[in-house]
Amino acid sequence: MGNAPTSIRLIQVTDAEAIAEHVKRDAEILARWEPARKPDYYTVEGQTARIERILKKHGTGELWPAVVLAE
């Protein structure tokens, strides 16, 4: 792992594909701790809709949805 640079930024709709891949890859491993999810949660379309919803909440000041990037 080493000292890979990391950064934090506001989530973007364009992150949907990477997030969908991540949650799909880890679904089985995390199933014991994660709530049951609808199948579309694991798709790019489902993540796009999710990101759009949370960005609306960001727009109202409810939350600050971030992603952590590690190279």
Side-chain angles (χ1 to χ4, degrees):
M1 293 211 185
N3 294 324
T6 59
S7 61
I8 299 172
R9 67 162 168 74
L10 183 66
I11 197 168
Q12 301 171 359
V13 173
T14 56
D15 296 319
E17 184 174 352
I19 292 172
E21 287 177 23
H22 174 76
V23 296
K24 194 181 320 178
R25 180 193 69 214
D26 293 345
E28 188 175 330
I29 295 166
L30 298 176
R32 181 176 179 180
W33 299 281
E34 291 285 319
R37 307 267 189 204
K38 293 181 180 181
D40 70 332
Y41 180 83
Y42 302 95
T43 67
V44 174
E45 295 80 12
Q47 287 301 313
T48 298
R50 181 176 158 270
I51 292 167
E52 288 171 345
R53 285 191 306 272
I54 62 177
L55 284 173
K56 284 182 184 175
K57 289 183 178 185
H58 172 262
T60 65
E62 275 185 74
L63 53 89
W64 195 83
V67 291
V68 177
L69 306 172
E71 294 186 30

